[in-house]
Amino acid sequence: MFQRNINRRVTKTKTKTVFLHLCPPIHSFFLSYRNFTAQSTSALDTAAAAADIATLVLESDPKSLRGSLHGLPLQFTPELVDKVLKRLWFHGPKALQFFKHLEYHPSYAHSSSSFDHAIDIAGRMRDYKTVWALVARMRARRIGPSSKTFAIIAERFVGAGKPDRAIRVFLSMREHGCPQDLHSFNTILDILCKSKRVEMAYNHLFKVLRGKFKADVVSYNIIANGWCLIKRTPKALEVLKEMVERGLTPTITTYNILLKGYFRAGQIKEAWEFFLQMKKREVEIDVVTYTTMVHGFGVVGEIKRARKVFNEMVGEGILPSTATYNAMIQVLCKKDSVENAVLMFEEMIKKGYVPNLTTYNVVIRGLFHAGNMDRAMEFIERMKTDGCEPNVQTYNVAIRYFCDAGDVEKGLSMFEKMGQGSLPNLDTYNILISAMFVRKKSEDLVVAGKLLLEMIDRGFIPRKFTFNRVLNGLLLTGNQAFAKEILRQQSKCGRLPRQFKL
DNA sequence: GTAGGGTTAG
């Protein structure tokens, strides 16, 4: 019922259906994908309403937005608001505007989960003032901040290259009225380790606070994995020793972390010996162990050994998982042949496995890589038929290989097919912008410029290199006015080269 | 959002 009302409201504003290389101004292409059909179930209702509200936010005049939102004939719910925020993910300022207007809504109050989303968005934009303002408001309303909130903030600081600030965020939790515990301790350790800051995690947090929080197996596993991620397996072994000394029993996860660590560090012999040790001792080897072995052997080209391990596991009573098949298929593509990979794919289906997104993407990449464009496209169609929608990676692979093969038109047409669950990401834009230089055509450079502006509009910050390349291209082809616009944007992004002044 | 396996450019 309310669906129709929103639609009427939205359709009043003028819609620009745009394929970006045809007509400026740059406009988010998914606006042309709006779907106004009435949906039957409530989950779909929420999704459709979220899409409509997101469009409303994007198209409304900022001054009238609050009125429009407050006047909507529908009841906002936390689920709906979260979905809208997700839709506006790449329009940070708009998303925060929407969030703020709803804070003054007469009959709706934000949930803690929506606050977390808003904080995540502000953090992504590196707008820390807003981050802390939101935290304060959460606290004032007594709906947080929670340890999840702090994990989000810490992650954003780490992502912005400020791990020391992430640590301070963790240490300040109590000041913000949020108790710390072993969980939150492990979470911050993991965030640091996953970003390859194990040294910092170990020295500044783990060593100092492991007594206070009573570090457990999980804490030690996180640190061991941290060392493995930067290929320092001897340090991971030390951690293993240390945990045993402190009376903790390593789990199968601990061993799998080390096994993977050996492969990652290129220590194939050590990995094999470690695997034998695991079998010899009373460790319950599991499917993860086998998948690690298959993948590890495969990536160094030891296909026979990979196959042997793969066959052996069934004998041991451990069934391969989809991930095991994915590992096998991937290494066949890379070190054997796509034909054999496709055979493996068909075999898994015959055995009743359901391929997932990764399975398809691995096969599709393999086919493109082998120059089998048509078969790759057939697989993309096949996955859709199987109810598995292509994602960003699927499209990025297709776009990359078409462009590399000189078929820029086909690359662009794939780009235009993206939507909903597969919005372009930073890679997509980088691939496409690079492709605009191969034909050395003036029109292509204009498209490159438009893509650059669109990516900025979506919250991606292009590298200085990308800016300069596009800028030079435009200047050389006589597009001075457009170049000037790009330069203005570059300055806004803080990526201005020294010699330029506006 | 406390840990381990499978997509990312030769």
Side-chain angles (χ1 to χ4, degrees):
Chain A
M1 166 78 152
F2 59 73
Q3 191 65 40
R4 224 179 14 232
N5 282 322
I6 306 174
N7 290 346
R8 204 180 316 129
R9 208 174 262 278
V10 172
T11 37
K12 251 193 274 176
T13 58
K14 207 174 142 203
T15 313
K16 295 167 198 140
T17 304
V18 176
F19 282 127
L20 73 161
H21 55 295
L22 295 179
C23 52
I26 305 298
H27 216 260
S28 310
F29 73 88
F30 66 72
L31 290 187
S32 62
Y33 279 85
R34 56 168 51 162
N35 174 10
F36 289 146
T37 52
Q39 308 284 347
S40 50
T41 68
S42 67
L44 285 176
D45 259 347
T46 316
D52 286 344
I53 294 169
T55 310
L56 175 71
V57 173
L58 288 172
E59 294 191 342
S60 290
D61 178 358
K63 283 181 199 141
S64 60
L65 181 58
R66 181 178 299 190
S68 312
L69 285 172
H70 290 200
L72 283 179
L74 62 79
Q75 180 59 52
F76 280 102
T77 61
E79 295 71 36
L80 177 58
V81 173
D82 286 356
K83 281 211 168 82
V84 175
L85 289 173
K86 269 185 201 155
R87 284 217 154 234
L88 294 171
W89 198 251
F90 295 122
H91 298 268
K94 291 275 190 185
L96 294 177
Q97 253 175 38
F98 162 74
F99 185 86
K100 190 155 189 192
H101 287 318
L102 272 196
E103 279 199 272
Y104 301 97
H105 194 278
S107 62
Y108 178 74
H110 278 309
S111 68
S112 56
S113 121
S114 301
F115 265 102
D116 284 345
H117 276 301
I119 288 170
D120 204 7
I121 290 168
R124 181 173 171 276
M125 293 161 56
R126 307 191 180 185
D127 178 358
Y128 304 117
K129 213 177 127 193
T130 302
V131 166
W132 294 116
L134 287 166
V135 169
R137 269 181 271 160
M138 259 183 124
R139 192 173 180 189
R141 299 193 181 185
R142 300 178 194 281
I143 52 166
S146 68
S147 29
K148 187 182 167 188
T149 315
F150 286 95
I152 290 167
I153 300 172
E155 176 94 58
R156 287 300 172 192
F157 273 124
V158 167
K162 302 174 193 299
D164 45 330
R165 288 196 67 179
I167 291 179
R168 267 187 276 149
V169 164
F170 171 74
L171 295 175
S172 73
M173 280 172 71
R174 315 196 86 207
E175 290 164 32
H176 292 280
C178 180
Q180 297 164 315
D181 57 10
L182 181 57
H183 271 241
S184 51
F185 181 57
N186 287 342
T187 303
I188 182 71
L189 289 177
D190 198 44
I191 289 172
L192 290 166
C193 286
K194 293 265 161 67
S195 73
K196 312 205 166 172
R197 266 72 171 225
V198 58
E199 207 124 29
M200 207 175 235
Y202 188 79
N203 293 324
H204 298 344
L205 278 176
F206 189 77
K207 241 166 49 182
V208 189
L209 296 172
R210 65 178 157 203
K212 179 181 169 188
F213 289 109
K214 300 196 169 50
D216 63 356
V217 192
V218 176
S219 328
Y220 279 92
N221 285 350
I222 289 167
I223 298 290
N225 191 43
W227 290 118
C228 287
L229 285 174
I230 57 168
K231 302 180 184 180
R232 292 182 62 178
T233 36
K235 292 294 277 183
L237 269 182
E238 273 179 38
V239 174
L240 178 67
K241 214 178 115 199
E242 203 178 299
M243 68 192 284
V244 174
E245 280 168 5
R246 290 181 184 250
L248 292 166
T249 312
T251 60
I252 180 65
T253 303
T254 318
Y255 293 111
N256 285 340
I257 286 169
L258 262 127
L259 184 66
K260 178 79 191 168
Y262 281 123
F263 277 119
R264 198 182 279 118
Q267 299 171 277
I268 312 303
K269 220 180 127 216
E270 287 82 352
W272 177 244
E273 276 159 13
F274 194 79
F275 176 64
L276 293 180
Q277 284 295 317
M278 283 172 74
K279 289 212 284 193
K280 215 157 138 194
R281 293 204 209 154
E282 291 210 349
V283 185
E284 284 275 337
I285 295 193
D286 65 6
V287 61
V288 177
T289 318
Y290 278 107
T291 306
T292 307
M293 292 301 292
V294 167
H295 189 251
F297 274 145
V299 293
V300 295
E302 298 253 25
I303 295 296
K304 276 190 187 157
R305 293 177 86 183
R307 277 195 190 272
K308 215 175 149 195
V309 173
F310 187 87
N311 294 330
E312 174 193 313
M313 65 188 290
V314 183
E316 301 281 334
I318 295 163
L319 283 180
S321 64
T322 306
T324 321
Y325 271 102
N326 292 349
M328 196 69 223
I329 291 170
Q330 190 211 149
V331 299
L332 287 172
C333 284
K334 283 191 171 165
K335 302 286 177 179
D336 200 65
S337 70
V338 214
E339 279 68 33
N340 285 335
V342 172
L343 284 177
M344 188 57 89
F345 178 87
E346 303 296 357
E347 181 195 308
M348 79 181 274
I349 289 179
K350 234 194 293 177
K351 296 208 168 149
Y353 287 88
V354 179
N356 61 19
L357 199 56
T358 308
T359 324
Y360 284 106
N361 282 346
V362 166
V363 174
I364 289 163
R365 176 174 291 112
L367 287 167
F368 271 122
H369 188 78
N372 256 319
M373 319 306 253
D374 295 340
R375 271 177 87 199
M377 291 301 285
E378 279 168 30
F379 259 90
I380 292 183
E381 288 310 312
R382 182 170 173 180
M383 73 192 282
K384 286 185 199 163
T385 323
D386 294 349
C388 189
E389 277 307 305
N391 68 350
V392 211
Q393 274 94 342
T394 323
Y395 281 103
N396 284 355
V397 166
I399 293 170
R400 178 185 301 272
Y401 279 101
F402 277 125
C403 289
D404 280 357
D407 198 345
V408 177
E409 296 300 335
K410 198 86 183 77
L412 276 171
S413 90
M414 288 306 283
F415 176 66
E416 281 161 10
K417 281 187 195 152
M418 298 179 78
Q420 309 233 357
S422 59
L423 288 173
N425 63 13
L426 186 62
D427 286 333
T428 319
Y429 284 106
N430 282 332
I431 295 164
L432 224 36
I433 289 176
S434 299
M436 291 307 123
F437 287 83
V438 297
R439 296 192 294 199
K440 314 235 179 296
K441 279 164 84 176
S442 173
E443 311 96 84
D444 282 4
L445 288 161
V446 175
V447 176
K450 288 182 184 174
L451 286 164
L452 192 74
L453 294 184
E454 187 182 272
M455 74 188 279
I456 295 167
D457 191 46
R458 291 257 173 95
F460 300 113
I461 303 180
R463 290 172 298 173
K464 212 184 257 180
F465 171 79
T466 313
F467 269 117
N468 294 343
R469 222 172 149 208
V470 174
L471 216 47
N472 285 332
L474 286 172
L475 288 172
L476 285 172
T477 50
N479 288 295
Q480 321 311 76
F482 198 12
K484 208 166 172 194
E485 166 64 15
I486 302 267
L487 202 55
R488 209 171 298 127
Q489 291 299 325
Q490 186 169 8
S491 155
K492 265 201 205 158
C493 294
R495 300 275 165 123
L496 205 60
R498 284 256 167 77
Q499 67 268 32
F500 285 101
K501 280 218 177 85
L502 282 175

